[in-house]
Amino acid sequence: MFGTVGPLGVAALRLSLAAALLLLVHRPALPRTRPDLGLVLAFGTAIAGMNLIYPALRHLPVGPATALQLLGPLTLALLTSRRATDLALACLAGLGIWLFHSPAGTHVPAAGVLLALASGASMAGYLLLSRRTGARSGDGAPLALALGWAAVLTLPFGAAESGTALFAPRALLTGAVVAVLSAALPYSLELAALRRLPPRTVGVLQSLEPASAGLAGTVVLSEHLAAA
C-alpha cells in the first residue's frame, strides 16, 4: 500500500478503519470524568505515536526498524524488573534485538532511526496506558475511543500525503484488512493480556516482533538478513 497511499496514508487508513470497527462493536459512551478523558486522550496519542514506524520504513528495512521500535518496551522491561530472572530475560531479548542491527559500515538514515525510536517510546507509553485502561475498564470501550482519537491525529497527515487516493475503493478494502489484522485484533489481544500480565513481561514477549518482521521481510520483500 505504500506505493498507493504512502506510509502516512497507510497509518491513517489502519487507525481510522480499526476505530470505526471497534466503535461499532463496543458502542462506548463518552468519558464522564476528566481523569477518564485524559486517559483516553493519552492512550490514543501513544497509539498514534506508535504509527511513526510506518514513515520509518521509508528509510529502514523491516527487521532493523522493528528492532529499534522494540527498544522502547524492552527499556520499560529493564527499568521495571524486580527479579534477577526478569532482568536476565530482558537482557536476552535485548541481545536478540541487537542481532538485527545493520552491519558495520552500512549507512543508516538518521530520520529512519529517530522515527523508529519515537515509535518505540510511544510503544512503552502504550503498554503502561493500556495496563491502566484495562484496570479501569473490563471491556474494549476505552480502546475504541482511544483508536478514534489516534485516527483524528493521523488522518490529516494521511490525507495531506495521499489526497483522494486514500478513499479509492481498493485502498479502503486493503486498508480494512490491514486495520483488522494489525490494529483492531492485536490491540484488543494486548489489552486482554495486560489485564493478566505486567507490562515488563509483555515488553519482553513483544521482542519476538523483530524476528517475525525479519522473516516477513525476507520472504515477502527480499530484505535478507545476515545469518547471525
Side-chain angles (χ1 to χ4, degrees):
M1 293 183 67
F2 279 15
T4 305
V5 297
L8 294 176
V10 172
L13 280 175
R14 173 184 188 249
L15 293 176
S16 299
L17 295 174
L21 174 62
L22 290 185
L23 287 169
L24 283 173
V25 170
H26 295 289
R27 300 182 182 276
L30 293 176
R32 296 181 179 179
T33 66
R34 184 172 294 181
D36 287 343
L37 176 61
L39 181 58
V40 165
L41 294 178
F43 193 19
T45 302
I47 291 173
M50 289 197 309
N51 281 264
L52 291 171
I53 192 64
Y54 283 94
L57 292 174
R58 275 177 166 162
H59 309 281
L60 300 172
V62 173
T66 313
L68 288 169
Q69 182 192 37
L70 262 294
L71 290 176
L74 184 63
T75 301
L76 176 65
L78 288 168
L79 292 176
T80 57
S81 294
R82 293 182 174 84
R83 298 180 303 169
T85 303
D86 294 335
L87 188 62
L89 288 173
C91 290
L92 181 62
L95 175 62
I97 287 178
W98 178 81
L99 291 176
F100 280 84
H101 79 291
S102 296
T106 301
H107 174 66
V108 180
V113 172
L114 291 175
L115 287 167
L117 290 176
S119 175
S122 299
M123 201 169 188
Y126 160 83
L127 285 174
L128 293 173
L129 291 165
S130 185
R131 172 77 167 184
R132 287 187 60 190
T133 300
R136 291 174 74 97
S137 173
D139 58 22
L143 174 61
L145 292 171
L147 273 172
W149 175 243
V152 168
L153 292 176
T154 55
L155 191 56
F157 296 98
E161 181 177 62
S162 56
T164 57
L166 196 66
F167 307 103
R170 183 177 177 83
L172 289 172
L173 180 60
T174 311
V177 176
V178 172
V180 171
L181 295 180
S182 74
L185 185 58
Y187 288 163
S188 298
L189 291 173
E190 284 172 348
L191 185 64
L194 283 160
R195 293 194 189 105
R196 299 164 174 83
L197 300 172
R200 63 178 179 274
T201 302
V202 177
V204 170
L205 290 172
Q206 283 183 327
S207 299
L208 292 168
E209 287 188 19
S212 301
L215 290 173
T218 298
V219 174
V220 180
L221 303 175
S222 299
E223 295 177 353
H224 298 291
L225 295 166

